[in-house]
Amino acid sequence: MSNVLDHTNKAQNFDLFIGNFKERLSSLFHTEYDYNNLSLTRGLPPQFLSEIMAMRPLSVAIPEHHGGRGLHVKECLGVLAAASYESLSLSLIFGINIALFLEPFAKYGNTLLQEKVFHQFLENKAMGGLMITEQAYGSDALNMRTSYQQDGDKYRINGEKHWQGLTGAADFWLVTARKKNENGELVRDIDFFVTDNSIEEQKIEVTKKYNSLGLYAIPYGINKIDIEVPVDNRLTPESTGIKLMLDTLHRSRLQFPGMGMGFIKRMLDEAMKHCTERRVSGIPLNELDSVKFQLSRLQAAFTICSAMCAYSSSISSIQNDLSGHSVDANSVKALVTDLMHESAQICVQLSGANGYRLDHVAGRGLVDSRPFQIFEGSNEMLYSQVAEAIAKLMRKSKESNLLSFLKINPATELAAPFFSPILNFDFPLQPKQREMVTLGKIIARVVCFQYVLQINNAGFNDKMTEIARQHVSMDLYMLVGQLSNSNNAEPLMHYDEKADWMNFTSL
C-alpha cells in the first residue's frame, strides 16, 4: 500500500511541477518577453535564460540522493515537451544537457565528482554537453583523432571538436578521445572524460563560432582540446567505451520524441487555430478537403510521437543497457525528426505568407527542425542501419518474406498484420544503398506504429489511432512503390555537356 501511495504522491508532485513550469514558460515567452523578436538574434538574453533555469528544469535528470527529481524518463520527456511547445531551441538545450551529459554522467561518472557537478547544476544553473564530432570524420566517430595519454594521476587530451551544441556556453563537457599507445598509434576503443571549464587546465578554447542556419539560441563552433584532467574524470564503462557510446546515443535518440512532442503539438495547435479562423470566399479553411487532409496529417504525427514518448518512458532509463537497441532507437529518431520537419512544412503552408517569416512560429520551426534530421546520425544513415539490422535477423532465421518476418519479430508482431497487403514481398537479395534507405523507412514506420497500438490498448484516443493508421498505410504504399520502381539513375559528373537549353530553341 505504501508503494502505491508513494507513486501517487510522486505523480501528483510532478503534475504540479510541470504545470507550474508550463505556466511560467508561457508567461516568459508571451507576456514578459517578446520571443518572436528575441528569436531573430543569436543567443538568449542572460536574464531570460536565468529565469527559465531558476525553475530547475534539469533537476529531472539528477538523482534524488544528489537533490534532483530522480532521472525518471517520463519527467525528462515532459520537460522537453513543455519547452519545445514554446521553443525548439530551448528544448534542444535541455535535451543536450539531459541525454548527452547528465544521464551518461549519472550512469558512468565517478561518485565523488557527481556530488560536485550535480550541485553546480542545481544551485548555480550550470550546463553541460558532449563532444564527439570532428571536422574530418562527422558520423565516423570510431576514427576520431582526438587522443589522450596518461601522465601520472592525470590524462592529457589533445584534438579538435566541432558542431557541439552550447559551444562556449556549457560549464561541463563530456569529451571523447582515443588512447594513444607507446607507438603513437590510436587504439580502437573510445573513452569519455568530464571537463570543468572553471578550472584553467581543463578549459576548452573556442576557436570559431558558426553562423548556423537556425536554432539561433544555441551557439555552435570549433573547439580546441588541449587539456589535463584527473584520472577520476574518466567515465567508467561497464565493458567497452564503444558500448558506452552506443548506450548513450541510443538513449538520446529514444528521447528525441520529448523534443518532438511539444513542437508537433504547437504546429498542430497553430494550424488548427488558423484554419478555424481564416475564411476563403466565406468558408473556413478547415472545411476544405485538402486542408482536412493536412490537418489530419499533423494529428497522425502527434499520435505517433505520443506513442514514441510512452515507449521511451518504458525502456530508456539509465538502468537499462541500450547499446543493442539500434532498430528501435534509430527508427524513433529518424521518423520523429521527419515528422517534426513535415509538421513545420504543413503549418507554414497553411499559414500562408505569414508563415514564411522567421519571427513566425511556423517559419522559425521550419528552419529549426531541419537539422534534427541530420545531427546524431543523418536519417538516411539511420534508416539504412535499421534495414541492415533486420536483413541480418532475416538471414539468421532463414526468412526472405518481409511480412512473414515482421509478424514474428517482437518489435513489429502487433503492427505488421495491419499492413499485410503492402508488406507481402521478399527482401531484396542484394539491395542498393538507396533501396536500404527506403526499406528502413518502411520498417521504421511499422516499428513505431506498434507503439501506437500499445498506447491505444492502454486507452489512447481510438479515432486518433485510426488517423495515424491511415497515414502510415499511405506512406507504406508510396515507399513500396518507390522500392519497386527500380530507379538506378546516377549523376553525370560533367552534366553540362549538351545541356544548355539556349542551344535548342530558336529566336
Side-chain angles (χ1 to χ4, degrees):
M1 183 68 178
S2 60
N3 288 337
V4 174
L5 289 174
D6 287 345
H7 177 77
T8 302
N9 289 335
K10 286 180 181 178
Q12 291 174 343
N13 180 261
F14 179 67
D15 288 343
L16 181 63
F17 175 87
I18 200 67
N20 290 338
F21 183 61
K22 289 178 180 178
E23 185 177 340
R24 182 75 180 114
L25 280 183
S26 179
S27 176
L28 285 168
F29 275 80
H30 303 286
T31 304
E32 300 171 48
Y33 294 84
D34 181 357
Y35 185 67
N36 283 331
N37 284 330
L38 288 182
S39 67
L40 298 176
T41 57
R42 296 192 179 274
L44 291 173
Q47 183 60 31
F48 179 67
L49 183 58
S50 178
E51 292 192 49
I52 293 171
M53 298 306 289
M55 294 182 279
R56 293 187 173 183
L58 300 181
S59 64
V60 295
I62 294 175
E64 286 185 72
H65 61 274
H66 285 294
R69 293 190 54 85
L71 278 160
H72 303 293
V73 177
K74 179 180 177 180
E75 295 193 4
C76 293
L77 300 190
V79 164
L80 294 178
S84 65
Y85 190 84
E86 303 295 349
S87 164
L88 195 51
S89 290
L90 179 64
S91 188
L92 181 55
I93 288 173
F94 292 162
I96 291 167
N97 275 277
I98 292 170
L100 300 182
F101 184 85
L102 290 170
E103 288 182 331
F105 181 57
K107 183 170 184 176
Y108 299 106
N110 177 278
T111 305
L112 293 178
L113 188 60
Q114 286 177 350
E115 186 173 348
K116 171 191 170 185
V117 172
F118 288 142
H119 175 81
Q120 291 298 314
F121 273 79
L122 289 171
E123 302 302 327
N124 296 320
K125 304 173 184 175
M127 291 198 288
L130 171 64
M131 292 189 174
I132 295 180
T133 311
E134 299 179 4
Q135 290 193 73
Y137 297 96
S139 296
D140 187 15
L142 296 183
N143 281 313
M144 69 175 65
R145 308 312 295 171
T146 301
S147 64
Y148 76 90
Q149 289 179 298
Q150 186 167 355
D151 182 10
D153 61 352
K154 291 191 174 182
Y155 292 111
R156 184 84 190 174
I157 310 171
N158 289 277
E160 187 178 83
K161 303 288 187 181
H162 82 145
W163 277 119
Q164 277 68 45
L166 302 177
T167 290
D171 304 280
F172 298 94
W173 290 99
L174 291 181
V175 177
T176 55
R178 296 165 64 194
K179 184 177 181 179
K180 184 180 288 187
N181 63 25
E182 295 176 356
N183 298 326
E185 298 172 339
L186 299 182
V187 303
R188 182 174 182 272
D189 204 15
I190 293 170
D191 281 297
F192 289 66
F193 301 88
V194 182
T195 72
D196 182 346
N197 254 27
S198 69
I199 300 174
E200 188 60 33
E201 57 266 30
Q202 297 182 32
K203 190 170 185 178
I204 294 171
E205 179 186 354
V206 178
T207 59
K208 182 179 180 180
K209 288 283 186 73
Y210 290 143
N211 291 315
S212 55
L213 181 62
L215 297 170
Y216 276 12
I218 305 175
Y220 289 94
I222 300 176
N223 300 275
K224 181 181 178 182
I225 315 294
D226 185 9
I227 58 175
E228 280 186 355
V229 300
V231 291
D232 288 344
N233 284 38
R234 177 174 170 265
L235 298 192
T236 305
E238 293 173 348
S239 55
T240 66
I242 291 174
K243 287 193 71 174
L244 187 161
M245 181 174 70
L246 288 173
D247 178 50
T248 297
L249 292 179
H250 289 167
R251 180 171 292 100
S252 176
R253 290 169 188 169
L254 282 166
Q255 294 182 12
F256 264 62
M259 293 181 284
M261 191 68 257
F263 179 77
I264 292 171
K265 188 178 190 306
R266 181 66 180 275
M267 295 299 105
L268 173 58
D269 288 350
E270 293 288 335
M272 293 283 284
K273 183 176 185 293
H274 176 76
C275 292
T276 300
E277 296 174 350
R278 181 76 167 177
R279 302 179 78 87
V280 177
S281 300
I283 301 172
L285 274 180
N286 63 7
E287 291 186 14
L288 300 178
D289 185 61
S290 63
V291 172
K292 289 180 180 179
F293 170 78
Q294 292 180 83
L295 291 176
S296 71
R297 189 93 182 143
L298 287 171
Q299 290 181 345
F302 172 87
T303 300
I304 294 168
C305 189
S306 298
M308 290 175 175
C309 286
Y311 174 73
S312 182
S313 295
S314 72
I315 198 71
S316 64
S317 163
I318 64 168
Q319 307 305 321
N320 297 329
D321 176 12
L322 302 183
S323 60
H325 282 247
S326 63
V327 171
D328 52 349
N330 293 351
S331 294
V332 163
K333 186 272 177 183
L335 182 53
V336 77
T337 54
D338 281 353
L339 293 175
M340 289 166 67
H341 191 58
E342 184 188 1
S343 296
Q345 293 272 21
I346 292 172
C347 193
V348 166
Q349 189 72 15
L350 292 175
S351 299
N354 282 332
Y356 197 67
R357 288 167 35 198
L358 197 55
D359 60 348
H360 186 280
V361 66
R364 184 168 65 247
L366 183 67
V367 179
D368 285 352
S369 63
R370 184 62 181 93
F372 280 71
Q373 296 171 293
I374 301 170
F375 57 58
E376 274 203 46
S378 72
N379 285 2
E380 290 80 8
M381 180 185 79
L382 298 182
Y383 281 130
S384 182
Q385 289 176 355
V386 168
E388 288 166 5
I390 293 299
K392 183 177 180 180
L393 292 173
M394 290 179 70
R395 287 193 298 269
K396 188 175 180 180
S397 66
K398 295 183 170 55
E399 178 58 71
S400 60
N401 183 273
L402 183 62
L403 174 63
S404 298
F405 177 79
L406 294 182
K407 279 184 173 180
I408 61 172
N409 186 296
T412 52
E413 60 186 358
L414 298 178
F418 282 81
F419 311 110
S420 292
I422 317 172
L423 301 172
N424 191 15
F425 63 89
D426 284 350
F427 203 98
L429 289 176
Q430 293 181 311
K432 291 179 174 287
Q433 188 179 33
R434 67 186 71 180
E435 293 174 329
M436 290 299 277
V437 173
T438 303
L439 285 161
K441 291 180 178 181
I442 291 169
I443 295 163
R445 280 160 174 77
V446 181
V447 167
C448 293
F449 188 70
Q450 178 142 316
Y451 307 148
V452 175
L453 294 175
Q454 289 168 341
I455 198 174
N456 180 253
N457 291 340
F460 192 83
N461 190 309
D462 287 334
K463 292 180 180 178
M464 293 286 278
T465 298
E466 173 57 17
I467 288 171
R469 186 201 63 79
Q470 289 190 42
H471 281 283
V472 170
S473 179
M474 184 190 75
D475 287 353
L476 291 176
Y477 270 118
M478 289 193 295
L479 289 166
V480 171
Q482 180 181 328
L483 191 65
S484 61
N485 186 46
S486 299
N487 183 327
N488 296 314
E490 295 186 3
L492 296 173
M493 293 301 103
H494 304 289
Y495 72 93
D496 53 347
E497 295 178 5
K498 295 184 180 180
D500 185 348
W501 68 270
M502 296 188 77
N503 296 329
F504 307 102
T505 184
S506 58
L507 293 175

